[in-house]
Amino acid sequence: MGKLATFTAACAFAISTTAAFAETAWDMSVVWPEGNFHTQNAMAFAERVKEATDGEVVITVHSGGALGIKGPEGMAAVRDGLVPIADILLNQQVGEAPVLGVETLPFLAPTMPELALLHKFYRPKLEEVAASMNQKVLYMVPWPGQAVYSPDKIDTLDDMKGLTIRVVDANGTSFFEALGATPIQMPWGEVVPSLAAGTIKGVTTSSSSGVDGAFWEFTKNMSTFNWQASSNMVSVNLDAWNELPLETQKKIEAVAERMEGQFWLNSRAEDAKKIAMLKEHGIDVTAPSSELNAALMEKAMPLWDEFKKRVPDAAPIIDAYLTARD
């Protein structure tokens, strides 16, 4: 009986030790190509998580939509456990929760300092929405400012008339309709094929995406409107998250908190780097004149009030932000 007891205790110890060091493997969905800075951020985050948890949690980043999940499907995919973790473009999730369109209101928070202030009031609502969709926000990172790519230079509002332009969400549709353009909503995966086919002639997106899509093959002008803020979040399925020990959760949260600030700096550096690359490839990069900026703002501001009426739970966020900003 002594030998049996010893053998049983040894087996129990081996099982408990194996369980304690069992690897949790998460496949992470990212729709952007591997060279995109959001993908690079995700890969850096995955590496730090592996280090911080001593290999207990291993995240494999699948870039370029390799897991078959399109941008607008991101939050639903995490909610339903199709993937345990994903990098998600928030303005493509307004179908799940219209309040997630706050960021993309034209000229509401076009600079990073303004966006950081907006997030003070917006992020608690985002975390509430995420929890209602069975997920937890780990970190958020903004894109560089949203530019307008077009076949011809844009000097006045008249230059926008009739331009078929890709937008991401309803706010973009409303804004470019007000400018006289013809906006078409589509996810990133359809943009380059649509440019090649001539379905669209222009695109509003960041400098980063302009390089990702090699836009110089289709158009020769970029105007740095910086008309819209836009952020990605990385969120994790709550069922997968709750399977982790509390201590492991704290380690991952600490990694996310430490790295988020650097990721914002990466975004700022990304803009300068990618604008330079666009110029090197022959894109004419210009900034709107003060007169055009004033005309754009005149078209933008009425959309804020319309959005507050259409999405009442966004009104307190917008009002608190504007009070703090002004």
Side-chain angles (χ1 to χ4, degrees):
M1 289 295 293
K3 291 182 178 180
L4 179 60
T6 301
F7 175 75
T8 302
C11 287
F13 175 77
I15 292 171
S16 65
T17 302
T18 301
F21 292 94
E23 176 186 299
T24 296
W26 288 347
D27 289 311
M28 182 175 183
S29 173
V30 181
V31 301
W32 322 110
E34 184 171 336
N36 185 276
F37 83 103
H38 280 295
T39 309
Q40 292 297 310
N41 286 345
M43 294 170 72
F45 174 71
E47 185 61 31
R48 291 288 183 86
V49 166
K50 183 177 180 180
E51 293 173 0
T53 63
D54 295 322
E56 183 182 347
V57 178
V58 177
I59 301 171
T60 302
V61 176
H62 299 269
S63 62
L67 297 181
I69 296 167
K70 295 181 179 180
E73 301 166 347
M75 286 192 80
V78 175
R79 176 195 64 201
D80 298 338
L82 298 180
V83 289
I85 187 170
D87 176 273
I88 298 166
L89 177 58
L90 288 170
N91 59 17
Q92 288 188 326
Q93 314 308 311
V94 293
E96 303 290 351
V99 72
L100 300 184
V102 164
E103 274 191 326
T104 66
L105 284 167
F107 294 105
L108 180 67
T111 69
M112 281 199 174
E114 288 171 319
L115 183 59
L117 180 60
L118 176 61
H119 279 194
K120 176 181 177 181
F121 306 101
Y122 168 55
R123 184 153 179 167
K125 172 58 72 172
L126 170 62
E127 291 174 343
E128 178 185 314
V129 170
S132 74
M133 294 186 65
N134 194 38
Q135 54 205 282
K136 172 185 174 61
V137 179
L138 292 178
Y139 65 80
M140 292 176 68
V141 185
W143 286 88
Q146 298 297 288
V148 173
Y149 297 83
S150 58
D152 301 309
K153 190 176 178 181
I154 298 172
D155 291 319
T156 68
L157 291 188
D158 286 341
D159 296 327
M160 296 291 298
K161 288 184 177 177
L163 176 66
T164 52
I165 184 168
R166 176 262 186 166
V167 298
V168 176
D169 66 352
N171 287 337
T173 297
S174 298
F175 184 51
F176 282 92
E177 284 178 344
L179 300 181
T182 304
I184 301 173
Q185 289 186 48
M186 62 176 62
W188 172 250
E190 299 174 17
V191 172
V192 173
S194 296
L195 278 171
T199 306
I200 55 175
K201 298 294 185 182
V203 180
T204 178
T205 191
S206 67
S207 56
S208 185
S209 291
V211 171
D212 287 345
F215 281 5
W216 49 83
E217 296 180 3
F218 312 104
T219 188
K220 295 301 178 186
N221 292 276
M222 170 189 170
S223 183
T224 55
F225 274 39
N226 288 349
W227 68 277
Q228 181 188 66
S230 179
S231 297
N232 284 14
M233 76 167 178
V234 166
S235 66
V236 58
N237 175 277
L238 278 177
D239 297 326
W241 179 255
N242 290 331
E243 288 177 358
L244 299 177
L246 180 60
E247 191 60 33
T248 302
Q249 292 178 356
K250 290 180 179 178
K251 290 177 181 177
I252 296 174
E253 287 174 328
V255 169
E257 185 176 355
R258 282 197 307 271
M259 298 191 79
E260 184 169 322
Q262 181 59 52
F263 291 161
W264 278 60
L265 294 176
N266 292 351
S267 178
R268 178 176 291 175
E270 170 81 357
D271 198 26
K273 175 183 175 182
K274 293 302 171 70
I275 285 176
M277 291 179 67
L278 290 166
K279 289 179 178 179
E280 288 172 7
H281 284 88
I283 294 285
D284 185 16
V285 180
T286 59
S289 65
S290 56
E291 292 81 9
L292 179 54
N293 266 327
L296 293 169
M297 182 62 77
E298 184 179 354
K299 297 292 186 181
M301 291 184 67
L303 300 179
W304 304 354
D305 288 330
E306 291 178 16
F307 188 84
K308 289 196 295 184
K309 292 175 183 177
R310 190 170 71 251
V311 187
D313 54 341
I317 298 171
I318 295 170
D319 291 343
Y321 158 71
L322 290 175
T323 298
R325 188 194 69 178
D326 298 338

